[in-house]
Amino acid sequence: MNIETELEHKVQTHLKFIYPELDAAEVCQHLLELMRLDKNTPTPPNHQNHWTEKDIIAITYGNSLLREQEKPLHTLHEFMKSKLDGIINSVHILPFYPYSSDDGFAVMNYAKVSDSLGDWVDVETISSDFRLMADLVINHCSSRSLWFENFKQDKEPGKDYFFTASPEDDVSQVVRPRTSPLLREVNTPSGTKHVWCTFSHDQVDFDFRQVKVLYEFVKITRLYLDRGVKIFRFDAVAFLWKEIGTNCIHLAQTHEMIRLLRTLVEHAVPDAIIITETNVPNHENLSYFGNGNEAHCVYNFSLPPLLVNTLLTGNCKHLKRWMMSMPPAQIGTTYFNFIASHDGIGLRPAEGLLNEDELATLANTVNMFGGKVSWRTANGTNKPYELNISLFDALQGTYKGTDKYQIDRFICAHAIMLALEGIPGIYIHSLLGTTNDYERVNNTSHNRSINRHQWSIDALEQVLDDKYSHHHKVFNRMCELIEKRIAQPAFHPNAVQFTLQLGEEILGFWRQSQNRKQSIFCIFNITDQEQQIEMTEINLIDTEHWFDLIAQQPVGDLRGCLTLKPYQAVWLTNYRIAHH
């Protein structure tokens, strides 16, 4: 009699839920073979943190930095080694596979590195110096992929890999982030088919009801682990499972599929991490933690619109209310914090947190600062879906107009993000103070291109060396801030966080290290006016010596007043750890 091992039992439990009609033992056996797992592999302990306060993830395209006659991945690696070593320890390289559109997210071949960027050796070299995060583009692939070409010819592999529906089906409830038609008509030898396209007609959705599709993705996952990927970003995973007659988002099978992939990944590489990319309203986003058995991290999508709104209005009430409503992540899970990325500032995660008027003011201000607004259709009306602008330009003033505080406001935004509970992700263009790229928008006709500039490394090094350029000022201030952050145990992604009530013009919260030795009071003037606060309001313990980590100076009179210049950030600690 074959006694089921713990691993087999776990995998089969997931499978029975997702594929009740299949032989779970047989499918499990095949998955373990694809993942090269021994069925007796011990289960890693639950609820382990695979991160510390030292973890900062730089987000970049493989070709954000270019040098003539050099593979962009090599250029990126050299830049990170020379400029960011000891400051940033992880890198998220956005899809580096051959693709047909959407700057990488319409993948043509998951097993290959795009020739224009480099090869797997370049990827592995980066992963030997920096913890590597990569995309598993799991919901859809390119309509120019071999699989879809085969689908159109009724050939294997691919002929049943894609989700199809009938134009008569009721798809009125389907939730989508785009305004294009959902179904794409395709002629095949066995007749006309209508392929499901959540995002664009070049991005055709997989049909995970076919277990062969799962097999393909387990193979891909194993390949990425072998090539040094430690953090997986599950792109657009909320849409993975579809059922006609439902909203086709966050279905129970989708959650179970993430749990299954996590079980396989963590048995293969116990410290690998899964981050789900679900750009949806806050309460839906939080569901991807499961019970500590799904994503290790979820993207904190509400942070970018709320933080930008705070700094443009000079009022932190919404940000504060949201912070207080966020549950502390349980041990073994944490938040992935970011305020800028390759996409725009998504507004759906602010729905229910900002009202329609506030969202409109935000969109109008971004427009005034040279940004673009992308729209989506909801119940027949158009709503702003995303603000497309470089973060540096988004913070060039307030809703009243531009002013002289752009760099201070920008640094303040990052001082807030770096201090919050979670792992910070910093877009490379935020590190460099990159501004709107209008030429790229004109060339591509895509709003998102405004924030996807490609730097010539020579031009970049020139402006970084010029002490009068804003790029030099931003880069150096950002690096100093990060260096101070990564030395503080109270900034561990799972250290306690408590929101302070200091009015609407001053944002404050308290972090405490897990061993309770270090406290940091994080206080920010989020307005363009000087602000004063009584030290007694912060409740600093009298018997301790307090020190501002950012200004690198001791705090004098605990009975006096703290005066904050416009956009000044202070991190007050009782336990000073010098950064190296």
Side-chain angles (χ1 to χ4, degrees):
M1 180 181 142
N2 178 23
I3 298 170
E4 228 175 68
T5 65
E6 192 178 354
L7 173 56
E8 288 174 309
H9 174 72
K10 248 183 134 168
V11 171
Q12 288 183 35
T13 306
H14 299 308
L15 289 169
K16 283 170 186 163
F17 183 87
I18 305 169
Y19 301 108
E21 71 291 350
L22 297 182
D23 178 341
E26 192 182 313
V27 176
C28 168
Q29 190 51 43
H30 192 49
L31 290 175
L32 297 187
E33 282 167 18
L34 291 173
M35 208 63 172
R36 300 201 307 276
L37 285 175
D38 181 330
K39 63 184 183 180
N40 296 306
T41 301
T43 296
N46 281 339
H47 309 303
Q48 279 196 309
N49 291 330
H50 302 306
W51 43 79
T52 72
E53 60 277 6
K54 294 183 171 37
D55 291 316
I56 311 266
I57 301 177
I59 304 164
T60 179
Y61 278 103
N63 59 1
S64 293
L65 307 177
L66 301 172
R67 177 178 276 129
E68 277 191 36
Q69 308 300 310
E70 190 170 272
K71 288 292 168 76
L73 286 174
H74 181 78
T75 310
L76 173 67
H77 187 211
E78 289 300 307
F79 177 81
M80 289 195 64
K81 274 199 313 192
S82 67
K83 292 276 199 269
L84 299 172
D85 187 41
I87 296 169
I88 286 182
N89 66 359
S90 310
V91 60
H92 172 202
I93 306 177
L94 288 149
F96 44 77
Y97 328 109
Y99 70 94
S100 55
S101 65
D102 197 19
D103 276 354
F105 288 94
V107 179
M108 285 161 59
N109 182 347
Y110 288 84
K112 195 171 178 319
V113 175
S114 174
D115 289 335
S116 64
L117 296 176
D119 55 28
W120 280 118
V121 174
D122 294 307
V123 171
E124 289 177 40
T125 308
I126 291 173
S127 77
S128 63
D129 287 328
F130 297 91
R131 185 150 65 158
L132 179 61
M133 173 164 161
D135 290 270
L136 191 70
V137 184
I138 196 166
N139 177 68
H140 51 262
C141 72
S142 165
S143 67
R144 287 172 46 200
S145 63
L146 174 66
W147 290 339
F148 195 65
E149 288 299 331
N150 286 349
F151 171 85
K152 292 191 291 190
Q153 297 167 39
D154 280 348
K155 279 174 24 187
E156 294 285 11
K159 74 171 188 167
D160 45 9
Y161 282 15
F162 298 94
F163 196 89
T164 58
S166 153
E168 278 71 63
D169 286 335
D170 177 11
V171 294
S172 58
Q173 294 180 58
V174 173
V175 171
R176 296 177 61 219
R178 298 288 185 275
T179 53
S180 55
L182 175 62
L183 300 180
R184 169 184 166 167
E185 195 174 294
V186 178
N187 295 319
T188 74
S190 51
T192 301
K193 293 181 180 173
H194 295 87
V195 180
W196 194 279
C197 301
T198 300
F199 290 89
S200 78
H201 281 194
D202 186 38
Q203 291 164 298
V204 283
D205 284 37
F206 289 111
D207 187 351
F208 271 89
R209 294 172 306 180
Q210 308 293 332
V211 76
K212 281 184 282 192
V213 176
L214 171 62
Y215 293 157
E216 293 284 10
F217 273 93
V218 170
K219 264 191 273 189
I220 293 161
T221 303
R222 181 68 248 190
L223 169 72
Y224 293 178
L225 286 168
D226 291 341
R227 298 299 190 173
V229 174
K230 271 294 177 67
I231 307 173
F232 287 84
R233 176 186 185 269
F234 282 11
D235 177 63
V237 70
F239 304 99
L240 178 139
W241 197 273
K242 291 120 186 122
E243 263 175 32
I244 303 297
T246 72
N247 62 4
C248 297
I249 189 171
H250 315 311
L251 298 189
Q253 292 91 334
T254 293
H255 285 283
E256 198 65 43
M257 190 68 81
I258 297 168
R259 289 181 203 130
L260 167 62
L261 289 168
R262 166 152 172 183
T263 296
L264 294 170
V265 164
E266 67 185 7
H267 279 79
V269 177
D271 62 343
I273 295 172
I274 288 168
I275 301 185
T276 47
E277 186 265 334
T278 49
N279 191 353
V280 292
N282 198 41
H283 61 284
E284 297 170 29
N285 191 27
L286 292 174
S287 69
Y288 284 85
F289 279 138
N291 183 24
N293 58 354
E294 239 174 276
H296 295 91
C297 307
V298 299
Y299 268 78
N300 233 339
F301 273 110
S302 300
L303 180 61
L306 286 177
L307 185 48
V308 171
N309 175 72
T310 296
L311 291 161
L312 294 182
T313 59
N315 186 313
C316 63
K317 66 180 178 197
H318 296 306
L319 179 60
K320 220 161 52 173
R321 188 182 306 146
W322 168 74
M323 284 170 59
M324 288 161 67
S325 75
M326 289 296 273
Q330 55 174 299
I331 300 299
T333 66
T334 192
Y335 295 106
F336 182 63
N337 293 328
F338 72 108
I339 40 180
S341 75
H342 64 290
D343 287 344
I345 298 166
L347 295 182
R348 278 208 73 205
E351 286 172 19
L353 302 171
L354 300 177
N355 66 36
E356 303 257 319
D357 287 351
E358 289 164 326
L359 287 169
T361 302
L362 192 52
N364 291 340
T365 309
V366 160
N367 232 341
M368 172 169 75
F369 293 158
K372 312 266 180 197
V373 181
S374 297
W375 301 83
R376 72 182 183 98
T377 309
N379 307 325
T381 60
N382 278 353
K383 288 186 160 183
Y385 166 70
E386 185 178 80
L387 306 176
N388 301 111
I389 190 167
S390 88
L391 185 67
F392 187 68
D393 277 333
L395 297 175
Q396 64 186 272
T398 66
Y399 70 96
K400 297 177 287 200
T402 56
D403 61 25
K404 62 182 181 186
Y405 296 117
Q406 184 172 13
I407 293 178
D408 293 332
R409 193 180 289 109
F410 184 77
I411 297 298
C412 178
H414 287 91
I416 293 169
M417 180 187 77
L418 286 165
L420 285 169
E421 176 190 341
I423 298 170
I426 301 179
Y427 191 34
I428 193 158
H429 292 303
S430 296
L431 277 172
L432 305 173
T434 311
T435 55
N436 291 338
D437 188 337
Y438 299 112
E439 194 182 331
R440 205 167 158 79
V441 176
N442 292 338
N443 290 342
T444 63
S445 305
H446 288 301
N447 286 352
R448 284 179 166 178
S449 300
I450 199 166
N451 193 24
R452 297 178 178 178
H453 182 67
Q454 290 178 303
W455 276 101
S456 139
I457 197 83
D458 298 337
L460 176 61
E461 285 173 348
Q462 209 172 341
V463 294
L464 289 181
D465 289 343
D466 172 6
K467 64 177 193 287
Y468 299 108
S469 82
H470 79 262
H471 304 285
H472 172 93
K473 291 171 187 167
V474 165
F475 184 75
N476 285 288
R477 284 181 67 179
M478 289 283 284
C479 289
E480 276 171 33
L481 202 54
I482 293 167
E483 266 189 288
K484 288 165 186 165
R485 190 252 191 212
I486 59 181
Q488 314 308 324
F491 287 147
H492 185 287
N494 294 85
V496 167
Q497 177 172 302
F498 180 79
T499 309
L500 306 174
Q501 300 304 327
L502 304 172
E504 292 181 351
E505 276 106 22
I506 296 177
L507 175 69
F509 51 92
W510 170 72
R511 301 290 310 275
Q512 185 184 47
S513 62
Q514 290 172 303
N515 65 6
R516 300 195 173 188
K517 270 190 188 170
Q518 186 186 41
S519 284
I520 302 180
F521 286 87
C522 308
I523 298 164
F524 311 92
N525 177 359
I526 48 100
T527 75
D528 56 6
Q529 305 293 314
E530 191 174 273
Q531 300 289 339
Q532 285 202 322
I533 172 174
E534 298 283 339
M535 292 298 279
T536 49
E537 278 188 57
I538 311 172
N539 287 333
L540 302 179
I541 300 166
D542 278 5
T543 52
E544 307 262 14
H545 293 293
W546 293 89
F547 186 84
D548 177 3
L549 290 164
I550 295 180
Q552 289 287 296
Q553 60 190 37
V555 176
D557 181 8
L558 295 188
R559 294 264 166 271
C561 246
L562 181 62
T563 302
L564 296 169
K565 297 198 286 282
Y567 305 106
Q568 187 178 345
V570 296
W571 293 342
L572 300 179
T573 186
N574 61 330
Y575 185 72
R576 184 181 166 196
I577 298 167
H579 56 282
H580 302 299

